């Protein structure tokens, strides 16, 4: 028969265990499989973030399905991505290339079986010059836009974040405003994020299909086909012994 | 003997649990609670302190401290000097977008120290609408900014900022 003291001790131990669970829950999550283990040795592991200039709370380590760094040719990113088929559409505006001086600049038009289109732009460079935040460019070109962020949940666990931009512009010869939905983030080869090691801007642009949320879901689906799992960059550093 | 040992152990465990849970319940540093306000301050004091801290932290470009002033679901809107027409308003929705606006649009302009804004506070329980007239040098934005603050967990946080509310003169 349990006496009162034993019950009290049991209650206190339970309280302690609950307290420990609350305090250490974030560290326990990876071990419980909610976030996949990440290893820096995997050459398809990258760091993503909403900005290249400063780290943000949305910085993540991510395992990609292709190479997104300047040690590799960005042309090797697959032309078939899920239901999407792409064709290269080289930039014809030389001013863009003169202004940005990118080390690599890939522009592709993907279409899916429903006839929807999606532009993928990948801009690679080793300085800040090639990376103009898209909203600055849209602003300068007279677009009205709203901005926010959106998570992409990955199939093998974790999520990465991108900034979205919903732009609208009334062109003189058009009956209705042209609308663009842009979703973008930056990729770094490692957690040091040295510009000299190369940065890649990953940017999707389409018209609006249905509501903004539906369009972002379409962009998310495309991103999910190219990135497998994500987690905390600190975990990546720990696994690398840094 | 057995009971004494058990009581002693219970006391130790209880102390440990109290300490542990005390650590869990750390005071909030959100919004006004992260500012060193004098004890016994009023709601209006806290609201004023949040707005003034925002201006000060923009000048010193302390992004993390700045973001701590904002509520999770906050937004910034540019009224584009057409206060009666919200169809042309531009929005930065959520903390990520607000951070982006500070870092990529506001900070590069190297904002200079401004006089503390003249604030009109209209408070209704846990929600306050603050109209601000800002003076930077000879430049005056009369009632150009409208802040909405909300009180959550005893802390006043910024829920929205709408700026460029002063109408263009024809």
């Amino acid at each position: 028969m349990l006496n009162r003291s034993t019950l009290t001790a049991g209650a206190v131990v339970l309280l302690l265990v609950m307290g420990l669970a609350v305090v250490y829950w974030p560290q326990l999550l990876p071990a419980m499989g909610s976030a996949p283990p990440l290893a820096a040795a995997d050459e398809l592991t990258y760091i993503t973030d909403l900005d290249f200039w400063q780290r943000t709370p949305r910085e993540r380590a991510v395992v990609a399905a292709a190479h997104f760094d300047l040690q590799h040719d960005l042309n090797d990113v697959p032309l078939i991505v899920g239901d999407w088929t792409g064709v290269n559409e080289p930039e014809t505006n030389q001013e863009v290339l003169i202004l940005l001086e990118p080390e690599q600049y890939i522009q592709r038009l993907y279409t899916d079986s429903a006839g929807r289109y999606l532009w993928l732009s990948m801009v690679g460079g080793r300085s800040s010059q090639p990376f103009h935040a898209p909203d600055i460019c849209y602003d300068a070109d007279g677009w009205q836009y709203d901005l926010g962020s959106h998570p992409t949940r990955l199939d093998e666990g974790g999520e990465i974040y991108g900034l979205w931009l919903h732009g609208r512009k009334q062109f003189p010869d058009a009956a209705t405003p042209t609308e663009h939905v842009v979703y973008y983030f930056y990729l770094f080869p490692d957690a040091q994020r040295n510009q000299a090691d190369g940065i890649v801007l990953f940017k999707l642009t389409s018209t609006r299909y249905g509501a903004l949320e539906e369009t972002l879901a379409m962009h998310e689906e495309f991103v999910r086909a190219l990135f497998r799992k994500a987690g905390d960059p600190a975990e990546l550093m720990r696994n690398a012994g840094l | 003997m057995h009971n004494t040992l058990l009581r002693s152990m219970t006391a130790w465990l209880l102390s440990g649990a109290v300490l542990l849970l005390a650590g869990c319940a750390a005071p909030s540093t959100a919004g006004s609670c992260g500012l060193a306000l004098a004890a016994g301050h009023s709601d209006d004091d806290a609201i004023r302190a949040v707005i003034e801290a925002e201006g000060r932290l923009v000048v010193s470009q302390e992004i993390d401290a700045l973001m701590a002033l904002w509520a999770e679901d906050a937004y910034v809107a540019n009224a584009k000097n057409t206060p009666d027409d919200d169809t042309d308003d531009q929005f930065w929705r959520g903390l990520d977008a607000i951070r982006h606006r500070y870092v990529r649009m506001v900070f590069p302009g190297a904002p200079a120290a401004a006089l503390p804004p003249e604030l009109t506070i209209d408070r209704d329980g846990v929600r306050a609408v603050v109209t601000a007239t800002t003076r930077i040098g000879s430049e005056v934005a009369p009632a150009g900014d409208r802040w909405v603050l909300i009180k959550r967990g005893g802390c006043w946080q910024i829920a929205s900022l709408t700026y460029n509310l002063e109408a263009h003169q024809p």
Side-chain angles (χ1 to χ4, degrees):
Chain A
M1 188 71 182
L2 295 174
N3 61 24
R4 195 172 158 189
S5 298
T6 310
L7 286 172
T8 307
V12 171
V13 169
L14 186 64
L15 202 58
L16 259 178
V17 169
M18 286 169 62
L20 286 168
V22 168
V23 171
Y24 293 104
W25 187 249
Q27 289 94 319
L28 289 172
L29 280 176
M32 296 175 72
S34 63
L38 295 163
D42 186 341
E43 63 172 23
L44 291 173
T45 301
Y46 297 97
I47 299 296
T48 68
D49 206 346
L50 301 178
D51 197 4
F52 68 91
W53 192 251
Q54 294 186 349
R55 290 176 201 273
T56 82
R58 302 306 195 186
E59 183 186 48
R60 295 288 185 277
V62 65
V63 178
H67 289 285
F68 290 97
D69 59 74
L70 299 187
Q71 303 303 314
H72 296 84
D73 189 346
L74 294 173
N75 277 301
D76 293 337
V77 170
L79 285 165
I80 306 290
V81 178
D83 186 33
W84 298 87
T85 304
V87 290
N88 284 315
E89 296 274 355
E91 179 60 63
T92 52
N93 185 348
Q94 287 304 307
E95 283 182 18
V96 170
L97 301 178
I98 290 167
L99 179 71
L100 301 181
E101 286 187 8
E103 184 169 318
Q104 295 194 47
Y105 191 105
I106 308 297
Q107 194 165 259
R108 281 183 182 165
L109 178 59
Y110 284 86
T111 49
D112 72 356
S113 55
R116 298 180 301 181
Y117 79 83
L118 189 60
W119 288 93
L120 167 63
S121 306
M122 290 178 288
V123 183
R126 297 177 193 271
S127 69
S128 61
Q129 187 172 352
F131 305 109
H132 289 203
D135 46 309
I136 306 291
C137 300
Y138 274 87
D139 201 30
D141 198 36
W143 290 68
Q144 182 186 338
Y145 66 85
D146 296 340
L147 196 93
S149 72
H150 182 79
T152 292
R153 316 252 174 239
L154 302 182
D155 287 341
E156 295 179 32
E159 79 284 305
I160 58 177
Y161 284 81
L163 285 175
W164 59 259
L165 177 151
H166 178 203
R168 298 166 295 282
K169 185 174 181 179
Q170 180 66 57
F171 288 92
D173 54 346
T176 56
T178 299
E179 294 191 42
H180 278 186
V181 177
V182 181
Y183 184 62
Y184 71 95
F185 51 85
Y186 297 89
L187 289 149
F188 309 85
D190 57 50
Q192 307 302 316
R193 299 176 54 149
N194 292 326
Q195 288 190 1
D197 295 334
I199 304 168
V200 172
L201 166 66
F202 182 100
K203 184 178 74 157
L204 299 175
T205 307
S206 73
T207 189
R208 178 171 58 78
Y209 292 105
L212 171 66
E213 291 71 24
E214 293 172 270
T215 312
L216 289 172
M218 182 186 83
H219 289 208
E220 187 179 344
E221 181 190 327
F222 187 90
V223 171
R224 197 179 296 120
L226 288 172
F227 298 91
R228 291 164 39 210
K229 59 183 177 181
D232 180 3
E235 182 197 344
L236 192 70
M237 299 285 277
R238 279 196 301 275
N239 291 346
L242 298 173
Chain B
M1 176 67 185
H2 175 73
N3 276 347
T4 309
L5 184 64
L6 205 56
R7 268 200 293 274
S8 171
M9 198 174 87
T10 303
W12 277 105
L13 285 172
L14 195 57
S15 307
V18 167
L19 282 172
L20 191 63
L21 292 177
C24 292
S28 171
T29 56
S32 60
C33 294
L35 306 173
L37 299 178
H41 64 265
S42 67
D43 280 329
D44 282 4
D45 290 340
I47 290 165
R48 198 175 295 277
V50 169
I51 305 292
E52 289 178 2
E54 199 273 346
R56 193 172 58 248
L57 292 167
V58 162
V59 172
S60 58
Q61 304 198 1
E62 295 175 65
I63 188 63
D64 291 333
L66 258 175
M67 295 313 300
L69 299 175
W70 292 82
E72 189 70 35
D73 48 356
Y75 68 84
V76 173
N78 179 357
K80 297 189 174 173
N81 304 107
T82 56
D84 299 327
D85 175 13
D86 59 8
T87 59
D88 64 349
D89 289 2
Q90 181 168 345
F91 289 90
W92 289 262
R93 299 186 184 280
L95 292 183
D96 292 330
I98 294 170
R99 171 185 280 265
H100 176 82
R101 177 178 171 272
Y102 277 130
V103 172
R104 307 294 288 183
M105 297 182 72
V106 179
F107 289 174
L115 288 172
E118 297 160 21
L119 304 180
T120 304
I121 301 174
D122 182 9
R123 185 162 48 81
D124 180 12
V126 295
R127 185 174 186 273
V129 178
V130 183
T131 307
T133 294
T134 309
R135 297 173 192 276
I136 303 175
S138 59
E139 195 178 323
V140 182
D145 297 339
R146 182 175 62 234
W147 303 83
V148 174
L149 283 84
I150 49 167
K151 193 177 188 181
R152 284 181 181 160
C155 311
W156 284 97
Q157 296 175 282
I158 305 170
S160 71
L161 161 65
T162 306
Y163 66 100
N164 281 341
L165 278 165
E166 63 276 29
H168 270 319
Q169 300 302 316

